[in-house]
Amino acid sequence: MSVLPDLLKFDIDEDNLPVRREQIRARLAMYPTMSLSALLLLPLLAWLMWDVLPRPQIQLWAGLILAAHTIEGLQWYKWRTTTQTLEACRRWDRNFRFHTSLVAGSWGIGWWLLFVPGDLAYQSMLICVAMGMAAGAVTINPVYRPSLYIYLGLLLSPLIVRVAIENDRTHWILALMLLIYVGFLLNSAIKLMLTFELSLTQRHEKESLLHELRQREEDIAEALERAESANRAKSKFLATASHDLRQPLQALRLFTEALQETAKDKESQKLSGQIGKSVDALVDMFDDLLDVSRLDAGIVEPRWQHFSLGPLLDRLYGDFDPIAQAKGLSYDMPNIGEHCSPQQCASVVYSDPFLLERMLRNLITNAIRYTDSGGVVVCCICTDGKVKIEVADTGIGIKPESLPHIFEEYYQVGNPHRDRRKGLGLGLTIVHRIDQLLGCELEVSSESGIGSTFSFTIPKGDAAQLAQPFIASHSEYDLNGRVVALVEDDPDIRESTVELMQQWGCKVFTSESADEVIRALDVAEQRPDVLVCDYRLPQGITAIHVIQRMRELWGADLPAVVLTGDTASETLHEIHGSGAMLLHKPIAPIRLRAMVYFVLTGKH
């Protein structure tokens, strides 16, 4: 019941403005074609009737048609680009109705003026022209509903009435045929019109969805940028905080070691030992943060070499068996070291021994930490070309919903109260990132309340290219007589470091300022063998500036060791790019001595 009113209705409001605007623009675009075709037909039809009807009558009709098209053309030319606003579209709606009525009415009057009574041939020709114009209007311009209805009504209605006025059988049949033709035209016109409007509506909906999608993408991008900015700010804050905290921690570690060496009575030894354990625990936490920062910065590069797996596993057994026993756990390595068959872990493997050891240490530490009864088993299984290492425990296990998250930073299973004795939740994060570097194909299987098994594989190596194991001993690092330029702005660290290096037999020139160190070296007529420099110095100076300046004075081959508590990836990249060796505070004296020896000799 509501179909006809809906077809006749043509309102323009804010909701349908995008669709109506496109309809109006399509109608304006069609105007030159429609107008030109009608104006070309006008002289031909006038010429045809020139000798049949009174010429003033023909001239009157032609003038009326030209006036109607001229008025419409001027309006079109003046306002054709003005379709943006709601008011502009409503003005065009009124103009279309008026000009369509004027043009169609002028042609409709023409059928009366050009109708030749009693001459069926001229009448048929006139009917054909009118039908052709109506069909053209439907096929060329099914875009604007009011114009279509007005044009068909005012164009053909006068002709139908004029034909019926002849009042004979033939003309009544012609009038009826014209009415049927109008019905078919309207049906076709409505279908085309609805199809066109539907296509416009769908296009507008798609454009709206696309715009909304783009807006959401922009919002997501903006939110991501805010998150990344916040993350950068957090990283910068953590890097700065890490540096500031490591400075006193470095001094604390050096003084703690000195205290342990000078403690005589049992009470002092016990107290210094407890202090040392607390400092070591704090250092371990900082080392976890440092390892994640270095891995994130991408400056950790595996040093691939062929080495025996047995000594590494023996060392781990010696380190972790007492820890497990103290907790009442068994710690088994059933095929390790002396008890290993030649086909097992006595094999030579190809990997980075230091990264591999860190990976195993983290896995074994976690296994012992989260196991309260039973024990931990570490075993290796040789296959063709590879060695598979498994770390299994009978601990609390991992729930299925937690498994996807165990490698995330700071995520811990079974530590809801964030007990710092269980670490920071970075152990498995470091394992995962080392696995990505070494390509170990890390796998984990676990059942809550029963235990977990972590396993990974490493390729076998070549015994002919076996690397000598790294053994840390003071006797190997002979630094006697070496000249060291030490630039450090913290007086406590500077004092304790000088005392250590002098005990190693080094001749140390030190200050918080690189200029003062250089002057002292000049006065003593000494060339430094190695530069040891804190990264952050007063007045915005960094170790990179000091390295550049001293290498300009004493050659580009001057070895350098940079000490820092900074964990920012930009800082790590900058130090790595300078060619200096990097040590993070707090630094154990043996590590500092080993690193200085290494940069001087290239041996390790």
Side-chain angles (χ1 to χ4, degrees):
M1 295 296 292
S2 62
V3 174
L4 186 59
D6 288 342
L7 289 175
L8 295 177
K9 184 180 179 182
F10 193 84
D11 56 338
I12 302 177
D13 53 38
E14 291 289 352
D15 293 333
N16 61 23
L17 180 60
V19 175
R20 295 294 188 239
R21 183 189 295 123
E22 291 303 316
Q23 288 180 278
I24 290 170
R25 288 174 176 173
R27 172 67 173 76
L28 291 171
M30 289 291 183
Y31 171 77
T33 301
M34 295 184 298
S35 182
L36 182 62
S37 60
L39 290 175
L40 288 175
L41 185 63
L42 175 63
L44 295 175
L45 194 58
W47 187 18
L48 182 65
M49 296 297 186
W50 193 254
D51 295 325
V52 179
L53 296 171
R55 292 179 181 177
Q57 185 174 321
I58 297 173
Q59 291 172 345
L60 175 64
W61 167 72
L64 185 62
I65 297 293
L66 286 173
H69 279 286
T70 300
I71 294 171
E72 185 181 27
L74 291 173
Q75 286 289 312
W76 172 83
Y77 184 79
K78 183 177 181 180
W79 303 105
R80 66 187 184 280
T81 59
T82 311
T83 57
Q84 294 295 329
T85 64
L86 176 65
E87 184 55 39
C89 290
R90 286 176 173 172
R91 183 176 62 247
W92 270 118
D93 180 47
R94 295 190 296 269
N95 288 342
F96 284 155
R97 294 171 191 264
F98 171 74
H99 292 299
T100 302
S101 301
L102 184 62
V103 171
S106 300
W107 280 97
I109 292 172
W111 309 141
W112 280 73
L113 295 176
L114 301 181
F115 195 84
V116 182
D119 194 328
L120 194 57
Y122 276 100
Q123 294 172 12
S124 299
M125 183 272 302
L126 205 62
I127 291 172
C128 289
V129 172
M131 291 171 64
M133 292 183 66
V138 170
T139 55
I140 294 176
N141 182 32
V143 295
Y144 191 73
R145 197 184 307 174
S147 292
L148 188 64
Y149 296 154
I150 293 170
Y151 189 81
L152 288 179
L154 294 182
L155 181 71
L156 295 181
S157 296
L159 180 61
I160 295 171
V161 173
R162 184 63 186 83
V163 169
I165 286 176
E166 293 297 301
N167 200 24
D168 56 43
R169 180 174 174 274
T170 300
H171 286 88
W172 278 111
I173 292 174
L174 285 174
L176 183 60
M177 290 172 64
L178 282 171
L179 283 173
I180 295 172
Y181 179 72
V182 170
F184 277 109
L185 273 182
L186 280 173
N187 181 60
S188 299
I190 289 171
K191 288 181 178 179
L192 286 172
M193 173 187 65
L194 293 177
T195 300
F196 182 74
E197 288 191 15
L198 179 61
S199 69
L200 289 178
T201 302
Q202 290 176 341
R203 189 180 78 178
H204 172 64
E205 290 174 352
K206 289 178 181 178
E207 288 176 349
S208 297
L209 289 173
L210 183 60
H211 176 73
E212 183 178 350
L213 180 60
R214 287 175 177 169
Q215 186 62 46
R216 287 185 180 180
E217 289 177 348
E218 291 177 0
D219 292 342
I220 291 172
E222 185 178 347
L224 182 61
E225 175 59 29
R226 287 199 300 268
E228 290 176 349
S229 178
N231 187 57
R232 288 193 296 270
K234 179 205 72 173
S235 299
K236 185 176 180 181
F237 168 76
L238 288 176
T240 303
S242 173
H243 175 269
D244 294 341
L245 288 171
R246 284 175 186 269
Q247 289 289 92
L249 186 58
Q250 171 66 18
L252 179 61
R253 186 165 198 173
L254 294 173
F255 287 131
T256 300
E257 183 157 327
L259 178 63
Q260 289 173 338
E261 292 178 358
T262 57
K264 301 299 182 182
D265 59 277
K266 290 184 178 180
E267 187 65 28
S268 298
Q269 290 176 353
K270 181 181 178 181
L271 181 60
S272 63
Q274 290 174 338
I275 295 173
K277 288 180 181 179
S278 298
V279 173
D280 288 342
L282 186 57
V283 169
D284 288 341
M285 291 184 183
F286 272 108
D287 284 344
D288 283 345
L289 288 169
L290 168 62
D291 284 343
V292 171
S293 298
R294 293 175 69 232
L295 289 166
D296 280 343
I299 65 171
V300 177
E301 298 178 0
R303 297 182 179 180
W304 300 93
Q305 55 185 278
H306 303 267
F307 63 97
S308 293
L309 186 59
L312 186 153
L313 295 174
D314 275 335
R315 187 163 60 252
L316 292 175
Y317 184 84
D319 290 344
F320 285 104
D321 183 54
I323 299 174
Q325 288 185 19
K327 198 174 179 182
L329 304 174
S330 64
Y331 182 80
D332 296 321
M333 286 186 170
N335 52 359
I336 300 304
E338 296 178 355
H339 306 288
C340 180
S341 65
Q343 292 77 27
Q344 296 294 331
C345 63
S347 299
V348 174
V349 295
Y350 183 65
S351 185
D352 183 316
F354 298 99
L355 291 177
L356 182 63
E357 182 172 347
R358 182 61 195 272
M359 190 174 177
L360 278 168
R361 283 187 179 276
N362 283 15
L363 290 175
I364 297 170
T365 299
N366 260 26
I368 295 174
R369 179 178 292 157
Y370 292 104
T371 300
D372 296 323
S373 63
V376 176
V377 177
V378 180
C379 63
C380 58
I381 305 166
C382 287
T383 59
D384 292 338
K386 291 189 175 182
V387 176
K388 182 177 183 180
I389 300 179
E390 290 185 351
V391 179
D393 63 64
T394 58
I396 62 174
I398 306 169
K399 295 179 181 179
E401 60 269 20
S402 298
L403 272 175
H405 306 290
I406 60 174
F407 297 114
E408 296 175 2
E409 295 178 9
Y410 310 111
Y411 185 86
Q412 289 180 302
V413 177
N415 188 18
H417 301 295
R418 307 301 296 173
D419 183 354
R420 285 294 165 248
R421 290 174 296 179
K422 295 185 178 181
L424 294 171
L426 293 173
L428 289 181
T429 302
I430 294 170
V431 168
H432 178 60
R433 297 185 187 183
I434 293 176
D435 170 61
Q436 291 178 318
L437 279 176
L438 300 182
C440 295
E441 301 175 358
L442 179 67
E443 296 179 353
V444 56
S445 60
S446 183
E447 191 170 346
S448 182
I450 295 179
S452 305
T453 300
F454 289 82
S455 63
F456 58 90
T457 59
I458 48 178
K460 287 185 177 180
D462 184 0
Q465 302 181 49
L466 189 63
Q468 295 300 317
F470 176 78
I471 302 173
S473 67
H474 286 75
S475 61
E476 282 199 28
Y477 309 134
D478 183 10
L479 300 177
N480 190 49
R482 296 290 189 171
V483 178
V484 179
L486 173 64
V487 183
E488 169 62 66
D489 63 328
D490 187 292
D492 292 335
I493 295 176
R494 188 168 65 246
E495 179 183 345
S496 57
T497 305
V498 169
E499 290 179 2
L500 277 173
M501 288 184 170
Q502 287 175 345
Q503 292 175 14
W504 301 338
C506 298
K507 188 174 183 180
V508 186
F509 294 82
T510 184
S511 175
E512 67 175 10
S513 164
D515 291 337
E516 292 180 6
V517 173
I518 292 171
R519 280 195 295 270
L521 286 164
D522 286 340
V523 170
E525 298 182 348
Q526 294 284 333
R527 179 193 185 278
D529 294 313
V530 62
L531 166 66
V532 179
C533 186
D534 185 27
Y535 178 74
R536 293 184 184 274
L537 297 168
Q539 299 177 349
I541 303 297
T542 68
I544 306 304
H545 300 113
V546 177
I547 291 171
Q548 291 172 347
R549 184 168 180 195
M550 290 199 176
R551 284 178 175 172
E552 288 174 359
L553 293 172
W554 290 298
D557 59 343
L558 176 66
V561 177
V562 175
L563 314 178
T564 183
D566 203 325
T567 59
S569 60
E570 296 85 356
T571 301
L572 302 182
H573 276 294
E574 189 177 19
I575 297 171
H576 185 68
S578 71
M581 298 304 295
L582 171 64
L583 279 178
H584 266 86
K585 298 176 181 179
I587 304 160
I590 183 63
R591 288 181 62 197
L592 177 59
R593 184 171 183 174
M595 186 59 70
V596 172
Y597 179 82
F598 170 68
V599 298
L600 284 168
T601 64
K603 297 178 182 180
H604 61 89

